[in-house]
Amino acid sequence: MRYLVRHQTRFDYSYPVRFARCNLRLHPVDWDGQRIEDYRLSVDPVGQVTPGRDGGYLAITDRLVVDRPAIKLVIESRSTLTVDREAPTALAGDHSVTQAGVAASDQRALDRMAPANFLFPSPLIATFPEITAWCAKELRPERGIVEAGLALAKAIQAQFHYDGSATELDTSPLQAFAAKRGVCQDFAQIMISGARSAGVAAAYVSGYLRTVPPAGKERLVGADATHAWVMLWCGPERGWLGFDPTNGVTVGSDHIVCAIGRDYADVSPIDGIFLGRDGQKIEVAVDVEPLAEAGELTPPASARAR
């Protein structure tokens, strides 16, 4: 499937901002079953953009500087890409949860997608006894890692309520877990916390969902905004596979990978600073438009070697 993704973020300031510096992680990355064809970025008012520098993890970061007074800032990206990815299913020969964790620890690679980078707590995702115990019911040591990952995603989708007003960007996984409410970011962080507690390498993914579902399928939650889900390292044979706890599914061609990191701080679509008085309003609009059915896509040669 070919997609056109439009992502617009508008900042309206109560008072003129004298200076702004932003990191923009809006450029989708090449990943297994995903190839970027075109990417364009527009900014109003016009600023200085340093494009396309890879971050510490799998994220392409544009640097934006606006050095003249402004009462608004509109950032819009447009990406055209092809996605051809089958949603993974459990196989008889899958590593168990324990085997996947041991294999991750044994990997000698130290590149940015090496599983060792994703085994331990990160700045925004700690481990908590309550989350560990709850997730352990699905992440049993002898259970196949793909089966266990999907079961945990389904459990979160079934037992937590999607509520856009329940949490903030700085809500901890434990707070969202206690409330049993939140958004995709919260559900991904809860799953990652539990997986890392079980010794499984788990990464945070920022991306998009197709706006219009295929015929006969229900519309996925979170399709009108940026989305977040989880990747688990499922052993050297299967590598990184995606699990969406907001919708209780594995990740196929409906999901578009924008950036991969340890937690939200590594991959947030926009962050930065501005100089001026307090008071701003932020509006985000995302549209994922299916363009046409695409032929089979050959994954990038480096995708599994990262």
Side-chain angles (χ1 to χ4, degrees):
M1 177 65 70
R2 295 182 69 241
Y3 293 107
L4 172 63
V5 180
R6 303 180 187 90
H7 182 168
Q8 184 186 93
T9 303
R10 179 185 176 103
F11 299 85
D12 287 295
Y13 302 106
S14 300
Y15 304 94
V17 167
R18 302 191 302 274
F19 176 87
R21 182 189 296 272
C22 303
N23 301 310
L24 311 179
R25 302 178 188 89
L26 304 171
H27 191 311
V29 297
D30 284 325
W31 185 249
D32 279 353
Q34 177 175 305
R35 183 180 65 243
I36 313 307
E37 300 174 12
D38 185 55
Y39 173 76
R40 300 184 184 187
L41 178 69
S42 64
V43 180
D44 180 24
V46 175
Q48 304 171 27
V49 178
T50 303
R53 191 172 75 179
D54 284 355
Y57 291 89
L58 195 60
I60 298 173
T61 305
D62 296 327
R63 314 290 187 186
L64 168 65
V65 173
V66 178
D67 57 3
R68 58 181 178 175
I71 60 171
K72 71 169 184 178
L73 176 60
V74 181
I75 301 168
E76 181 172 304
S77 64
R78 293 190 173 215
S79 307
T80 305
L81 66 156
T82 300
V83 182
D84 184 6
R85 180 190 304 116
E86 290 189 9
T89 58
L91 302 176
D94 284 342
H95 276 43
S96 68
V97 171
T98 295
Q99 289 170 334
V102 171
S105 298
D106 287 345
Q107 293 294 300
R108 295 180 177 274
L110 292 176
D111 54 89
R112 56 187 175 178
M113 284 306 297
N117 295 324
F118 303 91
L119 283 169
F120 306 103
S122 55
L124 297 185
I125 305 179
T127 55
F128 305 94
E130 299 93 331
I131 295 177
T132 298
W134 188 83
C135 292
K137 291 180 289 186
E138 303 298 345
L139 299 177
R140 297 189 298 275
E142 74 284 356
R143 195 175 194 180
I145 182 62
V146 180
E147 176 189 344
L150 179 56
L152 180 55
K154 287 180 176 292
I156 293 172
Q157 190 261 348
Q159 298 185 41
F160 289 74
H161 181 67
Y162 189 94
D163 182 351
S165 64
T167 57
E168 303 291 340
L169 284 177
D170 60 353
T171 298
S172 76
L174 185 59
Q175 291 171 314
F177 178 80
K180 293 295 188 288
R181 310 175 78 85
V183 295
C184 55
Q185 173 183 324
D186 303 300
F187 304 151
Q189 292 186 146
I190 290 168
M191 183 169 176
I192 290 169
S193 178
R196 290 176 182 167
S197 295
V200 175
Y204 183 102
V205 187
S206 173
Y208 306 102
L209 285 174
R210 64 182 291 165
T211 303
V212 181
K217 290 189 176 182
E218 293 185 2
R219 184 175 180 276
L220 296 176
V221 176
D224 292 331
T226 55
H227 194 50
W229 61 92
V230 177
M231 282 186 181
L232 302 180
W233 195 77
C234 298
E237 292 80 15
R238 305 208 67 179
W240 289 103
L241 299 179
F243 300 83
D244 182 348
T246 302
N247 293 288
V249 297
T250 54
V251 169
S253 290
D254 288 337
H255 292 70
I256 297 166
V257 177
C258 194
I260 306 171
R262 298 167 301 170
D263 55 37
Y264 178 80
D266 289 335
V267 299
S268 58
I270 299 176
D271 61 28
I273 60 169
F274 70 86
L275 298 180
R277 296 178 62 180
D278 191 21
Q280 65 175 351
K281 178 183 178 182
I282 304 175
E283 294 182 352
V284 179
V286 171
D287 183 44
V288 180
E289 178 186 353
L291 297 178
E293 294 290 345
E296 184 176 355
L297 173 66
T298 301
S302 61
R304 288 199 179 275
R306 290 191 183 95

